[in-house]
Amino acid sequence: MITQITTDPLLLHLHSLLSYSHANRAVLKLRDQKQLDFEELSDYLSGVTSERDRLAAVINGHAGSTGLGLSAYIKDRVDAIRGADDDRSRVEKMRKMDLKIKEVCAQ
């Protein structure tokens, strides 16, 4: 016959294990969220860096060396049609991208 004396320690142990399980699940969710944030930030940094490198190549006269494809070509053509000062706007974009890269690396 099971008595109150034998079930109390068992219930206490089960509650302790359940609490541990919930805490462990919360830690794993936090770790997964941090991993996702890191991956998104890495992808963003990679994109900004490649765009800055593409602009630097265009300014230095190596337009086709690190092109990003059709979208970059179309963007350059639209800027040319608008009459934007190519070199000045590219240098300004590079400066902004350098600031973004520094900000992301500081995080």
Side-chain angles (χ1 to χ4, degrees), residues 6-95:
T6 58
T7 59
D8 283 346
L10 178 63
L11 288 176
L12 187 63
H13 186 66
L14 286 176
H15 284 291
S16 174
L17 287 175
L18 191 60
S19 296
Y20 174 78
S21 173
H22 289 301
N24 195 23
R25 185 181 307 160
V27 168
L28 290 175
K29 283 184 181 180
L30 181 63
R31 184 201 63 186
D32 289 345
Q33 185 59 46
K34 285 184 179 184
Q35 180 68 28
L36 287 173
D37 291 345
F38 175 76
E39 289 173 0
E40 289 174 1
L41 202 56
S42 296
D43 289 343
Y44 177 74
L45 179 61
S46 174
V48 170
T49 303
S50 64
E51 177 68 14
R52 183 199 59 192
D53 292 344
R54 185 189 70 82
L55 287 174
V58 169
I59 289 173
N60 292 331
H62 303 92
S65 63
T66 60
L68 294 176
L70 185 60
S71 63
Y73 174 76
I74 291 174
K75 185 177 179 182
D76 288 341
R77 292 295 97 206
V78 168
D79 286 344
I81 290 172
R82 272 198 257 162
D85 185 10
D86 290 339
D87 289 338
R88 188 180 314 152
S89 65
R90 286 185 182 122
V91 168
E92 182 63 25
K93 285 181 188 178
M94 283 180 57
R95 187 186 66 76

